């Protein structure tokens, strides 16, 4: 009938066409929301932790081994040196002098923290949680103890000199020159070799330019540069000094000092850090099936 109307009766064929409809199926369709049971959640790679547990101040000086015994230990330090002078005449009495060693008392402090984790969490997790937990505790411990060292270094800076315009290289040079004179004269001949700065002034050092707009401390290290600094590395050199940047410094911190031994002072710097790493202590709690 459809084909006959198509050939012989256009009006009838139009009626047939109107009567033929294609409808979408009314049955429910299938998508990912209807099949959660076969859609696995995949964990990729290891646990990401963006907390960087660096110790710039401690690493600059080095952590000396701390004695295990006692609550207080003694660091001997010379407080008065001997005297020398020309002999006024043969057989005349030489210059009299004395030699005094004081004891610097160091009181130990303990830094640490703890967490309590269930045995189920230790057994069921993938990647396993215990290794990443201990890694995180190590990072936080490093940052915590470095903050203590940074505060102590700031407190130990006994001489404060005024600073000019931190955007001008000549003002940096003038400040370093003046501070170097103070250190050489006031510390019995010691010479500075390190510049400790907060992130604020580290950024200002990186941004220093000469009169033609060229970086003063390019990271390519040309032979005529006064040093080399790069944002991707927390250490470098500027004005012949090792630069140590530490985020644990307060914003207005610039310290010139000595971070190690020198030819004139083989016994070391005037700032020292002592440490006795204990590591992780694990205690099982059977009554709760957990570990502290």
């Amino acid at each position: 009938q459809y084909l006959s109307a198509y050939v012989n009766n256009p009006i009838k064929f139009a009626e047939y066409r109107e009567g033929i409809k294609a409808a979408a199926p009314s049955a429910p369709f299938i998508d990912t929301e209807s099949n959660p049971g076969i859609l696995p959640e995949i964990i990729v790679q290891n646990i990401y932790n963006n907390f960087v547990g660096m110790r710039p101040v401690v690493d600059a000086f080095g952590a000396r081994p701390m004695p295990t015994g006692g609550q207080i230990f003694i660091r001997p330090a010379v407080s008065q040196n001997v005297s020398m002078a020309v002999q006024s005449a043969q057989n005349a009495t030489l210059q009299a002098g004395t030699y005094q060693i004081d004891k610097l008392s160091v009181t130990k402090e303990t830094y640490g923290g703890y967490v309590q984790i269930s045995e189920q969490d230790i057994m069921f997790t993938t990647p396993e949680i215990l290794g990443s937990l201990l890694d995180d505790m190590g990072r936080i411990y490093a940052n915590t103890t470095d903050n203590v060292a940074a505060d102590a270094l700031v407190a130990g800076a006994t001489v404060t000199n005024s600073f000019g315009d931190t955007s001008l290289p000549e003002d940096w040079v003038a400040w370093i020159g003046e501070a170097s004179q103070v250190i050489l004269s006031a510390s019995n001949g010691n010479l500075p070799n390190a510049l400790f700065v907060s992130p604020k002034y580290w950024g200002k050092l990186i941004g220093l330019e000469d009169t033609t707009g060229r970086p003063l401390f390019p990271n390519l290290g040309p032979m005529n540069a006064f040093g080399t600094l790069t944002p991707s590395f927390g250490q470098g050199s500027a004005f012949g000094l090792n630069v140590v940047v530490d985020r644990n410094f307060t914003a207005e911190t610039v310290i010139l000092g000595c971070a190690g031994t020198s030819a004139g002072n083989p016994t070391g710097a005037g700032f020292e850090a002592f440490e006795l790493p204990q590591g992780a202590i694990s205690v099982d709690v059977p009554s709760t099936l957990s570990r502290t």
Side-chain angles (χ1 to χ4, degrees):
Q1 290 176 343
Y2 179 85
L3 294 177
S4 175
Y6 176 76
V7 175
N8 302 312
N9 192 341
I11 298 176
K12 193 67 175 178
F13 177 71
E15 294 177 356
Y16 280 139
R17 287 192 59 185
E18 290 296 324
I20 298 176
K21 303 290 184 181
S26 59
F29 56 86
I30 298 175
D31 60 10
T32 56
E33 293 185 1
S34 61
N35 296 293
I38 54 175
L39 292 173
E41 296 180 351
I42 308 300
I43 297 176
V44 296
Q45 300 184 346
N46 295 322
I47 301 171
Y48 172 71
N49 190 345
N50 75 335
F51 192 98
V52 180
M54 300 292 291
R55 303 205 296 181
V57 170
V58 176
D59 292 342
F61 293 96
R64 298 167 181 252
M66 188 167 60
T68 56
Q71 178 71 27
I72 298 174
F73 64 94
I74 302 301
R75 179 69 168 98
V78 175
S79 60
Q80 184 172 345
N81 298 95
V82 300
S83 300
M84 295 288 173
V86 63
Q87 188 179 26
S88 60
Q90 295 185 34
N91 295 320
T93 302
L94 292 173
Q95 174 69 35
T98 186
Y99 182 62
Q100 183 174 339
I101 301 176
D102 285 350
K103 60 177 185 180
L104 303 179
S105 297
V106 183
T107 302
K108 296 179 181 178
E109 292 181 328
T110 303
Y111 294 89
Y114 82 96
V115 295
Q116 188 169 341
I117 183 172
S118 69
E119 285 295 328
Q120 291 88 341
D121 202 15
I122 296 175
M123 290 186 297
F124 297 165
T125 51
T126 302
E128 54 88 19
I129 191 174
L130 193 58
S132 63
L133 169 62
L134 294 175
D135 173 72
D136 188 64
M137 296 181 78
R139 298 184 190 204
I140 302 302
Y141 168 82
N143 181 73
T144 302
T145 51
D146 181 77
N147 186 38
V148 175
D151 291 345
L153 181 62
V154 172
T158 57
V159 179
T160 302
N161 287 355
S162 60
F163 212 115
D165 188 343
T166 56
S167 64
L168 299 177
E170 56 267 31
D171 284 10
W172 279 89
V173 173
W175 182 85
I176 291 173
E178 181 182 356
S180 298
Q181 296 177 48
V182 173
I183 292 173
L184 180 62
S185 301
S187 66
N188 297 326
N190 290 278
L191 296 173
N193 62 7
L195 189 64
F196 299 89
V197 295
S198 65
K200 173 182 177 180
Y201 288 101
W202 177 61
K204 290 183 179 294
L205 279 173
I206 294 177
L208 288 180
E209 298 177 343
D210 62 14
T211 55
T212 63
R214 296 175 299 183
L216 203 64
F217 307 115
N219 55 16
L220 296 178
M223 297 191 61
N224 62 342
F226 289 102
T228 173
L229 293 172
T230 174
S232 62
F233 191 60
Q235 293 181 335
S237 62
F239 305 111
L241 301 165
N242 295 323
V243 176
V244 180
V245 57
D246 197 318
R247 70 186 185 94
N248 287 315
F249 285 135
T250 57
E252 302 301 320
T253 301
V254 179
I255 298 176
L256 185 65
C258 180
T261 60
S262 62
N265 184 14
T267 57
F271 182 88
E272 296 177 346
F274 294 86
E275 184 178 41
L276 182 63
Q278 182 64 42
I281 302 174
S282 177
V283 180
D284 290 328
V285 186
S287 60
T288 60
L289 276 181
S290 61
R291 190 178 304 181
T292 300

